[in-house]
Amino acid sequence: MYFMKHQNKKNLINAGSVGFLSFLSLSIYAQKDSRPNIIVVLVDDMGYSDLGCYGGEVQTPNIDELASGGLRFSRFYNAGRSCPTRASLLTGVYQHQAGIGRMTFDQRLPGYKGTLGNDVVTIAEVLDYAGYNTGMVGKWHVAETPLRKDQREWLAHQVNYPEFADKRNYPVNRGFKDFYGIIYGVADYFDPFSLVNGDQPVESVPENYYITRAFTDSAVSYVTRYSEEKKPFFLYLSYTAPHWPLHALPEDIAKYKDTFTKGWDAIREDRYARIKKLGVFGESDGFLSPAARDRDWVNNPAKDWDAMAMAIHAAMIDRVDQGIGELIAALKKTGQYENTLILFLSDNGASNERCENYSPGDNDRPDMTRDGRAIIYPKNKEATPGPETTFASIGSDWANVANTPFRFWKARMYEGGICTPMIAHWPKGIKKNTSGVTAEMGHVMDIMATCVDLADTKYPRHYAGKEIIPLEGKSLVPVFKTGKRQGHQYLGFEHFGERAYHGNDGWKIVKANGKNAQWELYNLNADRTELHDLASQYPEKLKKMIGLYDEWAKRCLVEPAPK
């Protein structure tokens, strides 16, 4: 019955591609389905060590609980920025293969179409067909987003349009049964643009609305409803926090008003000490990267503003943690906690951007509220961030702290941009190194393979009449069960001309985007924070890895990159 039902559903996946027997077995699953629920929680622009369980100051007891009962990864990788990471995570292939090598604008090249292609499938599409309930809450950001002549008025809810992107590329048309969230990449946390329920715009929000709280409420509602059914569920909870603008609730900000007054370097040293104590990198020591600053804290005339900016960043993460506590409570109340895999990670490193310098009213950056109040972009730090009438970010100095111990930040292919904190928690399934840290190398595209593995299904060769790009990711389940796996031989990276190639032997090459930039070579086994460029010392190794990068780039639609 199930198979016949889905044969009529858009002519989805042909039986030979997905494994006919696995779908016949769904009648057995319907009686007693022991497959785990899967929840992927993705936060936005959170630093590598912001969480308490990775050394940070933020009070994250609920996320720390997941870490203490689960597994933390120290070498898990993303694609460097929001939309490419989401594209790779959702599809199990590199972001260029999925069509989003850069942003959500069409640059007329296969790897840079700005939207998910029809030659890839999402986790939801595969798991829906395998008999899972599928729901998404939060930020989508993998559909081409149009810019209109009246963009300024549209952003401020002064005019309305029925679509924020082509609805064929909305979550509910890419496998998700339910969706509540935003289509664009940036949100006013108190009155978000591009908010959608299903495929319909949410025209207004209630007083005292705050997006992180609303996303948590929806996620808890989905879990509660799905738990009443016999089949397992997949939930993708994609918070916007702590991505700029710095918007937080006053009661959350109050917790951190004095936390960061010691300044960048003192906080960073304290973090590094906790990282060592927690054993995030095993027994390694002496690898805190130097801070690149053009000013020191003592002589910083804007100390109060800067300390408050980081306090708000922390408050935004704190509110996410409160939401995770509510989600855990819902899972326990419904009896789903023990057999639910929860993956918690960030989409990239903390952002160095000074969004105060952006142009108000452009793209996804409003210049006024719904009721016409001007939004201040405090280029000179003349307005304290936090409320809806401000649009600010933490900047490079605090991003460097948030990404301790690494160099650089979001959009760079150094570890500070692409290495993400990742926690796996599954009481029934994680049997090795519980509460510990694994150095097994992983990538966001491995999440698709993990879901396929746990759902006891097959990744399709064809879907909706289209040939599908083969799966690049590799399942993490062996790591959960045995502590080891046969992982990737290499990982490739490219974003806005920033490039990297990381071998499973620990060697990595990086090339910054610049006219005179040269390839750099690092041995991450001995130099985890990329302090010692060995390119001149090992020229043959460098040459070989550049050749391997070029082969990867050609295969994965990276070249030619748009100008």
Side-chain angles (χ1 to χ4, degrees), residues 53-91:
C53 56
Y54 276 83
E57 304 76 25
V58 188
Q59 299 171 34
T60 53
N62 298 296
I63 297 169
D64 296 349
E65 177 186 326
L66 297 179
S68 65
L71 186 63
R72 283 165 292 163
F73 286 72
S74 63
R75 293 177 183 254
F76 204 84
Y77 290 91
N78 57 64
R81 194 189 287 267
S82 176
C83 36
T85 290
R86 284 164 170 73
S88 184
L89 185 158
L90 283 164
T91 61

Short mmCIF file of all heavy atoms in Angstrom, two decimals, residues 53-91:
data_model
loop_
_atom_site.label_atom_id
_atom_site.label_comp_id
_atom_site.label_asym_id
_atom_site.label_seq_id
_atom_site.Cartn_x
_atom_site.Cartn_y
_atom_site.Cartn_z
N CYS A 53 30.66 23.22 26.52
CA CYS A 53 31.34 21.93 26.38
C CYS A 53 32.50 21.97 25.40
O CYS A 53 33.25 20.99 25.27
CB CYS A 53 30.35 20.84 25.98
SG CYS A 53 29.43 21.18 24.47
N TYR A 54 32.71 23.12 24.73
CA TYR A 54 33.89 23.33 23.89
C TYR A 54 34.79 24.43 24.46
O TYR A 54 35.73 24.86 23.81
CB TYR A 54 33.48 23.68 22.46
CG TYR A 54 33.19 22.46 21.58
CD1 TYR A 54 31.96 21.84 21.61
CD2 TYR A 54 34.17 21.95 20.73
CE1 TYR A 54 31.69 20.73 20.81
CE2 TYR A 54 33.92 20.84 19.92
CZ TYR A 54 32.67 20.24 19.97
OH TYR A 54 32.41 19.13 19.16
N GLY A 55 34.47 24.91 25.66
CA GLY A 55 35.34 25.87 26.33
C GLY A 55 34.80 27.26 26.48
O GLY A 55 35.47 28.13 27.06
N GLY A 56 33.60 27.55 25.98
CA GLY A 56 33.08 28.91 25.97
C GLY A 56 32.45 29.36 27.26
O GLY A 56 32.25 28.59 28.20
N GLU A 57 32.12 30.66 27.32
CA GLU A 57 31.52 31.29 28.49
C GLU A 57 30.00 31.15 28.51
O GLU A 57 29.38 31.38 29.54
CB GLU A 57 31.84 32.79 28.53
CG GLU A 57 33.31 33.13 28.50
CD GLU A 57 33.89 32.97 27.10
OE1 GLU A 57 33.12 33.06 26.11
OE2 GLU A 57 35.10 32.73 27.01
N VAL A 58 29.41 30.84 27.37
CA VAL A 58 27.95 30.80 27.29
C VAL A 58 27.42 29.67 28.17
O VAL A 58 27.95 28.56 28.16
CB VAL A 58 27.47 30.63 25.84
CG1 VAL A 58 25.96 30.80 25.77
CG2 VAL A 58 28.14 31.64 24.92
N GLN A 59 26.35 29.96 28.89
CA GLN A 59 25.72 28.95 29.74
C GLN A 59 24.84 28.05 28.87
O GLN A 59 23.74 28.43 28.49
CB GLN A 59 24.89 29.64 30.82
CG GLN A 59 25.71 30.53 31.74
CD GLN A 59 24.85 31.36 32.67
OE1 GLN A 59 23.79 30.93 33.12
NE2 GLN A 59 25.31 32.59 32.95
N THR A 60 25.37 26.88 28.55
CA THR A 60 24.66 25.95 27.66
C THR A 60 24.47 24.59 28.34
O THR A 60 24.94 23.57 27.86
CB THR A 60 25.43 25.77 26.34
OG1 THR A 60 26.80 25.40 26.62
CG2 THR A 60 25.43 27.05 25.53
N PRO A 61 23.79 24.54 29.47
CA PRO A 61 23.66 23.28 30.20
C PRO A 61 22.96 22.18 29.44
O PRO A 61 23.28 20.99 29.60
CB PRO A 61 22.88 23.68 31.46
CG PRO A 61 22.15 24.93 31.08
CD PRO A 61 23.07 25.64 30.15
N ASN A 62 22.00 22.54 28.59
CA ASN A 62 21.25 21.52 27.87
C ASN A 62 22.07 20.92 26.72
O ASN A 62 22.06 19.70 26.52
CB ASN A 62 19.94 22.12 27.35
CG ASN A 62 19.06 22.58 28.49
OD1 ASN A 62 18.60 21.80 29.31
ND2 ASN A 62 18.83 23.89 28.56
N ILE A 63 22.78 21.78 26.01
CA ILE A 63 23.66 21.27 24.95
C ILE A 63 24.82 20.50 25.58
O ILE A 63 25.24 19.45 25.07
CB ILE A 63 24.17 22.43 24.08
CG1 ILE A 63 22.98 23.11 23.37
CG2 ILE A 63 25.18 21.92 23.04
CD1 ILE A 63 23.33 24.41 22.68
N ASP A 64 25.32 20.99 26.71
CA ASP A 64 26.38 20.28 27.42
C ASP A 64 25.91 18.90 27.87
O ASP A 64 26.69 17.94 27.92
CB ASP A 64 26.85 21.08 28.62
CG ASP A 64 27.51 22.41 28.23
OD1 ASP A 64 27.78 22.61 27.04
OD2 ASP A 64 27.75 23.24 29.13
N GLU A 65 24.62 18.80 28.22
CA GLU A 65 24.06 17.49 28.60
C GLU A 65 24.12 16.52 27.43
O GLU A 65 24.43 15.33 27.60
CB GLU A 65 22.61 17.67 29.06
CG GLU A 65 21.90 16.35 29.39
CD GLU A 65 20.43 16.53 29.72
OE1 GLU A 65 20.06 17.56 30.30
OE2 GLU A 65 19.63 15.62 29.39
N LEU A 66 23.83 17.03 26.23
CA LEU A 66 23.95 16.17 25.04
C LEU A 66 25.39 15.71 24.87
O LEU A 66 25.65 14.55 24.52
CB LEU A 66 23.48 16.93 23.80
CG LEU A 66 22.02 17.37 23.75
CD1 LEU A 66 21.73 18.13 22.46
CD2 LEU A 66 21.07 16.18 23.89
N ALA A 67 26.33 16.62 25.10
CA ALA A 67 27.74 16.26 24.95
C ALA A 67 28.18 15.24 26.00
O ALA A 67 28.90 14.28 25.69
CB ALA A 67 28.61 17.51 25.04
N SER A 68 27.72 15.42 27.23
CA SER A 68 28.15 14.51 28.29
C SER A 68 27.56 13.12 28.12
O SER A 68 28.14 12.13 28.57
CB SER A 68 27.76 15.08 29.66
OG SER A 68 26.35 15.15 29.80
N GLY A 69 26.42 13.03 27.45
CA GLY A 69 25.82 11.73 27.19
C GLY A 69 26.07 11.24 25.78
O GLY A 69 25.54 10.20 25.38
N GLY A 70 26.84 12.00 25.03
CA GLY A 70 27.07 11.65 23.63
C GLY A 70 28.52 11.78 23.23
O GLY A 70 29.42 11.38 23.97
N LEU A 71 28.76 12.38 22.09
CA LEU A 71 30.10 12.41 21.50
C LEU A 71 30.34 13.77 20.85
O LEU A 71 29.49 14.27 20.11
CB LEU A 71 30.20 11.30 20.44
CG LEU A 71 31.53 11.03 19.76
CD1 LEU A 71 32.58 10.57 20.77
CD2 LEU A 71 31.34 9.96 18.69
N ARG A 72 31.50 14.36 21.14
CA ARG A 72 31.89 15.61 20.49
C ARG A 72 32.94 15.31 19.42
O ARG A 72 33.84 14.49 19.62
CB ARG A 72 32.49 16.58 21.51
CG ARG A 72 31.50 17.29 22.39
CD ARG A 72 32.17 17.93 23.59
NE ARG A 72 32.68 16.91 24.50
CZ ARG A 72 33.59 17.14 25.46
NH1 ARG A 72 34.09 18.35 25.61
NH2 ARG A 72 33.99 16.16 26.24
N PHE A 73 32.84 15.99 18.29
CA PHE A 73 33.81 15.87 17.21
C PHE A 73 34.74 17.08 17.24
O PHE A 73 34.30 18.21 17.42
CB PHE A 73 33.10 15.82 15.85
CG PHE A 73 32.41 14.52 15.55
CD1 PHE A 73 31.25 14.15 16.21
CD2 PHE A 73 32.95 13.64 14.61
CE1 PHE A 73 30.61 12.96 15.94
CE2 PHE A 73 32.32 12.44 14.33
CZ PHE A 73 31.15 12.09 15.00
N SER A 74 36.03 16.84 17.06
CA SER A 74 37.00 17.94 17.01
C SER A 74 37.45 18.25 15.59
O SER A 74 38.09 19.28 15.36
CB SER A 74 38.22 17.61 17.87
OG SER A 74 38.91 16.49 17.37
N ARG A 75 37.11 17.38 14.62
CA ARG A 75 37.52 17.58 13.23
C ARG A 75 36.32 17.40 12.30
O ARG A 75 36.33 16.58 11.39
CB ARG A 75 38.61 16.58 12.85
CG ARG A 75 39.95 16.79 13.57
CD ARG A 75 40.94 15.70 13.18
NE ARG A 75 42.21 15.82 13.89
CZ ARG A 75 43.34 16.24 13.34
NH1 ARG A 75 43.37 16.59 12.07
NH2 ARG A 75 44.44 16.32 14.05
N PHE A 76 35.28 18.16 12.55
CA PHE A 76 34.08 18.08 11.70
C PHE A 76 34.02 19.36 10.88
O PHE A 76 34.25 20.45 11.39
CB PHE A 76 32.83 17.94 12.56
CG PHE A 76 31.69 17.30 11.83
CD1 PHE A 76 31.59 15.92 11.74
CD2 PHE A 76 30.72 18.07 11.20
CE1 PHE A 76 30.54 15.32 11.05
CE2 PHE A 76 29.67 17.49 10.51
CZ PHE A 76 29.57 16.10 10.44
N TYR A 77 33.68 19.23 9.60
CA TYR A 77 33.84 20.35 8.67
C TYR A 77 32.53 20.77 8.01
O TYR A 77 31.62 19.97 7.79
CB TYR A 77 34.88 20.00 7.60
CG TYR A 77 36.26 19.95 8.19
CD1 TYR A 77 36.79 18.76 8.70
CD2 TYR A 77 37.03 21.11 8.31
CE1 TYR A 77 38.05 18.73 9.28
CE2 TYR A 77 38.29 21.09 8.89
CZ TYR A 77 38.80 19.89 9.38
OH TYR A 77 40.03 19.87 9.97
N ASN A 78 32.47 22.07 7.70
CA ASN A 78 31.36 22.66 6.98
C ASN A 78 31.87 23.23 5.66
O ASN A 78 33.02 23.01 5.30
CB ASN A 78 30.69 23.74 7.84
CG ASN A 78 31.68 24.81 8.28
OD1 ASN A 78 32.23 25.54 7.45
ND2 ASN A 78 31.95 24.92 9.59
N ALA A 79 31.03 23.97 4.97
CA ALA A 79 31.41 24.51 3.67
C ALA A 79 31.79 25.98 3.72
O ALA A 79 31.96 26.61 2.68
CB ALA A 79 30.27 24.30 2.66
N GLY A 80 31.91 26.55 4.91
CA GLY A 80 32.45 27.90 5.04
C GLY A 80 31.46 29.02 5.15
O GLY A 80 31.79 30.10 5.63
N ARG A 81 30.24 28.80 4.70
CA ARG A 81 29.21 29.85 4.79
C ARG A 81 27.84 29.19 4.84
O ARG A 81 27.67 28.02 4.49
CB ARG A 81 29.31 30.83 3.63
CG ARG A 81 28.49 32.11 3.84
CD ARG A 81 28.43 32.96 2.59
NE ARG A 81 29.67 33.64 2.29
CZ ARG A 81 30.00 34.88 2.67
NH1 ARG A 81 29.17 35.56 3.43
NH2 ARG A 81 31.13 35.42 2.31
N SER A 82 26.86 29.99 5.21
CA SER A 82 25.52 29.50 5.49
C SER A 82 24.91 28.67 4.36
O SER A 82 24.63 27.48 4.53
CB SER A 82 24.61 30.69 5.79
OG SER A 82 23.28 30.28 5.98
N CYS A 83 24.65 29.30 3.21
CA CYS A 83 23.91 28.58 2.17
C CYS A 83 24.68 27.41 1.57
O CYS A 83 24.09 26.35 1.35
CB CYS A 83 23.39 29.54 1.10
SG CYS A 83 24.45 30.92 0.67
N PRO A 84 25.99 27.52 1.31
CA PRO A 84 26.70 26.33 0.83
C PRO A 84 26.68 25.18 1.83
O PRO A 84 26.52 24.01 1.44
CB PRO A 84 28.13 26.84 0.60
CG PRO A 84 27.99 28.30 0.38
CD PRO A 84 26.86 28.72 1.26
N THR A 85 26.85 25.47 3.11
CA THR A 85 26.80 24.42 4.12
C THR A 85 25.44 23.74 4.13
O THR A 85 25.33 22.51 4.18
CB THR A 85 27.12 24.98 5.51
OG1 THR A 85 28.50 25.34 5.56
CG2 THR A 85 26.85 23.96 6.60
N ARG A 86 24.38 24.53 4.09
CA ARG A 86 23.03 23.95 4.09
C ARG A 86 22.79 23.10 2.86
O ARG A 86 22.17 22.05 2.94
CB ARG A 86 21.99 25.07 4.18
CG ARG A 86 21.87 25.65 5.57
CD ARG A 86 21.15 26.99 5.60
NE ARG A 86 20.87 27.38 6.97
CZ ARG A 86 21.77 27.80 7.85
NH1 ARG A 86 23.03 27.94 7.47
NH2 ARG A 86 21.44 28.11 9.08
N ALA A 87 23.30 23.54 1.72
CA ALA A 87 23.13 22.77 0.50
C ALA A 87 23.82 21.42 0.61
O ALA A 87 23.27 20.37 0.23
CB ALA A 87 23.67 23.55 -0.70
N SER A 88 25.02 21.41 1.13
CA SER A 88 25.78 20.17 1.28
C SER A 88 25.16 19.26 2.33
O SER A 88 25.03 18.04 2.13
CB SER A 88 27.23 20.50 1.63
OG SER A 88 28.02 19.34 1.68
N LEU A 89 24.77 19.83 3.45
CA LEU A 89 24.17 19.05 4.53
C LEU A 89 22.89 18.36 4.06
O LEU A 89 22.68 17.16 4.29
CB LEU A 89 23.87 19.97 5.72
CG LEU A 89 23.34 19.35 7.02
CD1 LEU A 89 23.63 20.28 8.19
CD2 LEU A 89 21.84 19.08 6.97
N LEU A 90 22.04 19.10 3.38
CA LEU A 90 20.74 18.57 2.97
C LEU A 90 20.84 17.51 1.90
O LEU A 90 19.98 16.63 1.81
CB LEU A 90 19.85 19.71 2.48
CG LEU A 90 19.21 20.59 3.56
CD1 LEU A 90 18.69 21.88 2.94
CD2 LEU A 90 18.09 19.84 4.27
N THR A 91 21.88 17.56 1.06
CA THR A 91 21.93 16.69 -0.12
C THR A 91 22.97 15.58 -0.06
O THR A 91 22.91 14.65 -0.87
CB THR A 91 22.22 17.54 -1.37
OG1 THR A 91 23.50 18.18 -1.23
CG2 THR A 91 21.14 18.60 -1.58
#
